[in-house]
Amino acid sequence: MSIKFIEERNLFVIQTNNTEYAFQIVHGRFPVHLYYGAKEGAEYEDYKSWVVSFAPYYREHHLSYVPDTAMLEYSGYDSGDYRASSLKIRNKNGDCATFVDYRSYRIFSGRLELPGLPYADADDKTETLELTLWDKLTKAEVKLYYTVFPEEDVISRYVAITNCSEDKMVIEKCMSLTLDLPTHDYDMISLHGRHYMERMYQRVPLHHGLQSIFSRRGASSHQHNPFFALCSHDANEEEGNVYGFNFVYSGSFADEVEVCQIGRTRIQVGLGEENFSWHLEGGETFISPEAVMTFTDHGIGQMSRNFHKFVRDHILPPEPFEKRPVVLNTWEACYFKIDEKEMLRFADTAAECGTDMLVMDDGWFGQRESDWLALGDWYESKEKFPNGLKAFIDKVKERGIKFGIWVEPEMISKASDLHDAHPDWCLHCKDRERMESRQQLVLDMGNPEVVQYLKDIFSKTFDGCAIDYFKWDMNRNISQAGSAILPPERQGEVYYRYMLGVYELYRWFKEKFPNAMIENCAGGGGRYDLGMMKYSTMIWTSDNTVPHHRIKIQYSSMLAYPAATMSCHVANHQNSCEDPRQLKYGWEIAMGGALGYELHLPNASNTVRETVKRQIEDYRKYESLILRGDYYSLLNPFETNYSAYYYTDGKDFLLSFLQCDVDTENEIILPIAKADPSAQYLETTTGKTYSGAELIAGISAFSSNSNCNSQIWHFVLLN
Ligand code: GLA
């Protein structure tokens, strides 16, 4: 049993393999947090109030319970706790005072579904605690869910709010996870960025006040990834306490970290309040998205491995992911200039070079000659594909490779048949000028008619087509989030309804094309999140394919997400990578994740094509280590000029050394601590043999004055 209720102390204890989480019901009413940390040696006392002047209290309990300083499991609004609130409900009287008391609990194995939302899959060890809270005035019932994934040391949290009255109420803020920690002796690690430079690592000490990362863009965003971690100041890859957090959601969000007057830290993950409100009629229930957290006292690397395993085993679609297709994608080679003849040239070369799949990117549909046109017109261009899509795809298949196609379902171009027919299907604010981005508008995915149109048109166009893979793109953020189908008082719901519509369409794609996988993309990694990962086999990591930039983007992505999610192409815009050093460097970087190519291979020299073929053959030898193995980072490219890491299945090792920028010549030792000291290993690229003790002591890498210096070593256990 992972979850226990200890009646004598009114104490709930949640355990994973290595962690423990505890809270207590104080005065039979207030769920007060006591502990989250290592299971071994876990000790915590019962709640004692911390009295500060000016703090409101209940006369009945006087100063024996002080909400403003207590560590709370979930905090109401305007309820004597002045820190960032978990829940704010406007009631029929017009005030937002939100007071919920403990009522009951239930513990069960497995988990509940979150209708309409992505959530982590349970396994036979998963258990859930449902804690019911209740506001006796408004009759709002608030259920907190704690779902435990013991093997991965992960606990998830979400909330369900039911209006048990006959009166309307409006939820103005609803966070999925609140966690109060007793100190603020932590650094915060988060991933900021922008288009073309997603997920840049940042580590800063916490300070008094609120520090927050968020998206108000309707997508989890290039600017702030929902993942963040708090770690002790001395934490490194192997040592130190680390708490990691993430959100299984792809729209606007807020991660809040607040250091309060007495130096405690409140952590929250949820929808935030800027892009969200929800009307709840009598009898209705609102369910928040799920947030996840992990703890380890074995450093940042272990936090990453906890999340990697969790994502692989509980989030990603259950396709076998020892393997990802090595694709040849047409975007950087062709942009919009594609037609059947050119694509068949690509298919020939894709087959010749040993790739698994041709992915035909943007430009195949409607009048799509540029990014000014045709989004929404999801039927093939008759000029480009005179024999139809099906006949073309059949010809690709005759070459013995698979076929993938690009779509951007959520968008509409002003110059499109769809816009002519339905000018109000895009998000817009009544009577206001409509703002475009990349010459496009965003469809109102909260409108069921829009979603139905997309299902119908994709069904028709792809009828009979043997499509193995969709690249699902989303190339702008939302602005003027108004919906023509919602009344004025419900306009605050648009961002959330948008995501529910998107998720519904994702689920429809998965059902309609059960054998196809989805690569998610939002102008690169603008929705690199657990919500998208629930439906997408992998995510296009960034539009930035410049190798030395990719080193940093991939390093930071790996803090929270496994390599199996990272779609990485050897690409060089319209160049064909004729420089062998560049081709090797790009490949050694791209093989940190799911390898693919985005080069004009039909125009490339035979030497390039042969090199690519060899690279793919070699990648096949390593790919199960990369996609399924445990990841150990040795050098942080934000703190040094290098990234170095290895993947291991406990037996073999794939070690990479990647230099970011030109350097002086130095020897850099890369220790493989996980090697078996008494074993022998064969390094397969050189045929040399090494003892485990040598690997533990470290492999020598050499920096250089080259702008593309990298090396890999593949150690196979011999005995
Ligand atoms: C986005 C994607 C690219 C490509 C283009 C097509 O920018 O990130 O990979 O698909 O759209 O328009």
Side-chain angles (χ1 to χ4, degrees):
M1 281 286 280
S2 304
I3 307 173
K4 281 178 282 193
F5 177 60
I6 300 166
E7 212 168 333
E8 312 80 81
R9 288 178 72 187
N10 259 328
L11 184 71
F12 288 93
V13 178
I14 299 171
Q15 289 180 330
T16 66
N17 284 5
N18 300 294
T19 71
E20 185 153 324
Y21 184 105
F23 67 91
Q24 184 167 45
I25 308 297
V26 171
H27 298 315
R29 291 177 70 181
F30 311 114
V32 171
H33 183 76
L34 298 182
Y35 179 80
Y36 184 32
K39 180 156 94 179
E40 203 181 313
E43 261 181 45
Y44 32 88
E45 293 176 359
D46 290 352
Y47 168 73
K48 270 198 226 71
S49 68
W50 184 320
V51 180
V52 288
S53 304
F54 283 67
Y57 53 84
Y58 297 89
R59 177 161 279 251
E60 183 191 350
H61 309 296
H62 197 232
L63 295 174
S64 66
Y65 173 69
V66 179
D68 199 22
T69 54
M71 300 202 292
L72 300 180
E73 285 299 307
Y74 207 61
S75 167
Y77 177 82
D78 198 9
S79 59
D81 173 12
Y82 295 98
R83 292 163 292 182
S85 57
S86 322
L87 182 66
K88 178 178 175 187
I89 301 179
R90 190 170 296 280
N91 59 43
K92 67 164 181 191
N93 300 330
D95 70 74
C96 290
T98 307
F99 287 75
V100 278
D101 284 354
Y102 169 76
R103 203 178 199 191
S104 61
Y105 77 93
R106 177 164 86 95
I107 296 170
F108 52 93
S109 58
R111 64 162 311 149
L112 300 183
E113 286 183 12
L114 272 67
L117 287 164
Y119 57 89
D121 294 323
D123 62 19
D124 57 358
K125 304 215 169 58
T126 307
E127 277 177 36
T128 299
L129 165 64
E130 177 189 81
L131 197 77
T132 302
L133 313 177
W134 173 248
D135 178 359
K136 57 179 181 277
L137 180 76
T138 64
K139 299 196 171 58
E141 182 193 66
V142 177
K143 289 186 171 173
L144 308 185
Y145 289 92
Y146 301 74
T147 297
V148 191
F149 303 89
E151 296 285 302
E152 291 81 13
D153 289 323
V154 167
I155 300 173
S156 87
R157 302 269 311 260
Y158 69 94
V159 184
I161 299 158
T162 303
N163 180 353
C164 299
S165 75
E166 313 232 298
D167 305 307
K168 180 162 84 183
M169 48 181 77
V170 183
I171 306 170
E172 298 196 344
K173 182 178 185 188
C174 173
M175 301 304 271
S176 300
L177 175 155
T178 299
L179 170 68
D180 284 347
L181 295 177
T183 76
H184 65 288
D185 297 330
Y186 301 107
D187 288 346
M188 180 169 175
I189 297 174
S190 61
L191 309 178
H192 69 96
R194 57 184 188 277
H195 176 233
Y196 225 68
M197 216 59 203
E198 299 89 332
R199 294 179 296 290
M200 294 291 100
Y201 167 89
Q202 167 176 273
R203 178 172 175 168
V204 286
L206 292 188
H207 57 78
H208 277 263
L210 183 64
Q211 38 249 275
S212 173
I213 55 172
F214 49 83
S215 163
R216 308 182 186 104
R217 296 166 179 271
S220 53
S221 88
H222 303 83
Q223 285 71 12
H224 292 291
N225 191 271
F227 157 81
F228 69 102
L230 298 188
C231 60
S232 47
H233 299 307
D234 59 356
N236 57 28
E237 275 300 310
E238 296 96 40
E239 286 163 350
N241 290 344
V242 189
Y243 296 88
F245 303 88
N246 213 334
F247 200 26
V248 190
Y249 188 65
S250 314
S252 301
F253 71 92
D255 291 336
E256 298 176 329
V257 180
E258 181 175 350
V259 179
C260 75
Q261 58 183 327
I262 58 168
R264 288 180 167 167
T265 304
R266 168 156 301 172
I267 297 148
Q268 301 213 99
V269 178
L271 293 169
E273 49 202 325
E274 291 220 35
N275 280 346
F276 173 75
S277 74
W278 196 265
H279 281 243
L280 208 56
E281 302 291 340
E284 283 181 353
T285 298
F286 172 81
I287 298 185
S288 80
E290 180 165 41
V292 295
M293 59 187 175
T294 189
F295 170 82
T296 175
D297 52 359
H298 284 89
I300 296 160
Q302 190 56 46
M303 174 208 65
S304 299
R305 286 186 291 280
N306 289 354
F307 275 148
H308 293 174
K309 186 167 183 322
F310 177 72
V311 174
R312 288 193 303 250
D313 293 351
H314 298 277
I315 299 280
L316 284 172
E319 290 142 359
F321 54 82
E322 276 71 22
K323 235 169 137 27
R324 293 280 190 269
V326 176
V327 305
L328 176 60
N329 177 294
T330 60
W331 177 244
E332 287 195 13
C334 305
Y335 299 111
F336 298 97
K337 286 201 187 60
I338 57 173
D339 58 32
E340 174 164 340
K341 204 162 144 242
E342 183 68 352
M343 288 300 94
L344 290 176
R345 277 184 77 213
F346 269 77
D348 285 336
T349 337
E352 177 197 325
C353 293
T355 69
D356 297 297
M357 184 187 289
L358 173 69
V359 177
M360 178 164 75
D361 211 282
D362 201 349
W364 60 269
F365 55 93
Q367 303 294 315
R368 187 75 168 169
E369 297 304 330
S370 75
D371 56 13
W372 285 81
L373 303 162
L375 291 169
D377 299 344
W378 297 110
Y379 38 82
E380 71 266 35
S381 153
K382 290 286 178 241
E383 290 85 63
K384 294 179 178 178
F385 297 93
N387 306 310
L389 202 53
K390 181 179 172 334
F392 159 66
I393 296 172
D394 288 345
K395 283 186 207 150
V396 173
K397 294 295 178 81
E398 281 163 18
R399 271 87 177 158
I401 54 170
K402 296 188 171 183
F403 178 74
I405 195 163
W406 181 94
V407 291
E408 194 180 2
E410 299 155 65
M411 297 294 153
I412 176 168
S413 305
K414 212 160 180 180
S416 65
D417 295 346
L418 183 62
H419 193 271
D420 292 347
H422 297 287
D424 281 351
W425 271 9
C426 64
L427 293 171
H428 63 280
C429 294
K430 198 159 176 275
D431 300 332
R432 280 197 193 279
E433 191 182 346
R434 298 175 184 191
M435 296 181 75
E436 297 175 27
S437 175
R438 207 195 191 204
Q439 296 77 244
Q440 61 198 54
L441 296 154
V442 184
L443 283 171
D444 179 2
M445 297 296 289
N447 179 349
E449 256 191 286
V450 169
V451 176
Q452 192 55 49
Y453 162 80
L454 292 168
K455 290 178 185 173
D456 292 344
I457 192 151
F458 284 123
S459 297
K460 197 160 162 231
T461 301
F462 296 148
D463 184 34
C465 293
I467 296 176
D468 302 294
Y469 185 98
F470 295 99
K471 177 177 172 189
W472 180 316
D473 214 334
M474 194 254 190
N475 275 312
R476 66 158 288 184
N477 290 144
I478 293 174
S479 60
Q480 298 156 305
S483 168
I485 63 157
L486 291 177
E489 69 277 11
R490 284 191 178 265
Q491 293 293 326
E493 299 175 13
V494 169
Y495 279 95
Y496 194 66
R497 288 182 182 275
Y498 177 88
M499 277 322 306
L500 294 179
V502 170
Y503 289 139
E504 184 186 328
L505 195 63
Y506 264 98
R507 281 192 297 274
W508 178 84
F509 260 79
K510 300 291 288 177
E511 272 163 35
K512 178 83 186 165
F513 308 101
N515 300 320
M517 42 177 84
I518 298 177
E519 176 188 19
N520 175 262
C521 174
R527 279 201 307 208
Y528 207 104
D529 60 67
L530 297 180
M532 284 295 142
M533 285 174 196
K534 178 75 184 182
Y535 309 110
S536 318
T537 307
M538 55 196 180
I539 300 194
W540 180 226
T541 310
S542 175
D543 275 349
N544 186 340
T545 52
V546 177
H548 69 271
H549 290 163
R550 273 294 183 117
I551 295 175
K552 289 190 168 169
I553 296 170
Q554 292 176 199
Y555 166 84
S556 309
S557 305
M558 289 292 299
L559 277 170
Y561 305 101
T565 64
M566 234 169 26
S567 172
C568 303
H569 295 177
V570 179
N572 206 3
H573 289 268
Q574 301 261 10
N575 305 327
S576 51
C577 249
E578 293 295 338
D579 176 350
R581 295 171 325 140
Q582 288 283 351
L583 195 53
K584 171 180 173 291
Y585 185 56
W587 171 65
E588 288 185 346
I589 294 166
M591 70 144 94
L595 176 72
Y597 288 83
E598 207 161 321
L599 302 171
H600 204 307
L601 287 183
N603 285 355
S605 65
N606 283 341
T607 322
V608 169
R609 291 214 290 267
E610 274 155 24
T611 308
V612 167
K613 190 165 183 209
R614 244 192 350 268
Q615 289 182 340
I616 295 172
E617 282 163 10
D618 284 343
Y619 177 72
R620 296 286 183 225
K621 297 181 206 151
Y622 319 137
E623 80 181 316
S624 68
L625 278 178
I626 298 164
L627 301 178
R628 189 77 214 181
D630 287 336
Y631 165 82
Y632 290 83
S633 171
L634 302 175
L635 290 170
N636 175 345
F638 292 85
E639 290 167 355
T640 70
N641 192 19
Y642 328 103
S643 176
Y645 50 84
Y646 61 86
Y647 294 103
T648 179
D649 56 4
K651 224 161 52 77
D652 301 342
F653 297 89
L654 181 72
L655 171 69
S656 299
F657 169 74
L658 311 170
Q659 180 181 313
C660 300
D661 212 341
V662 284
D663 209 338
T664 50
E665 285 179 22
N666 289 308
E667 184 183 18
I668 296 144
I669 305 291
L670 305 173
I672 303 184
K674 290 285 150 185
D676 175 352
S678 59
Q680 291 292 312
Y681 295 87
L682 173 70
E683 201 288 300
T684 65
T685 66
T686 54
K688 262 182 77 180
T689 307
Y690 291 78
S691 72
E694 278 176 283
L695 299 194
I696 293 168
I699 293 299
S700 294
F702 294 92
S703 58
S704 81
N705 61 5
S706 153
N707 62 355
C708 46
N709 180 29
S710 60
Q711 193 173 347
I712 59 151
W713 299 258
H714 180 223
F715 299 101
V716 176
L717 183 69
L718 283 178
N719 49 350

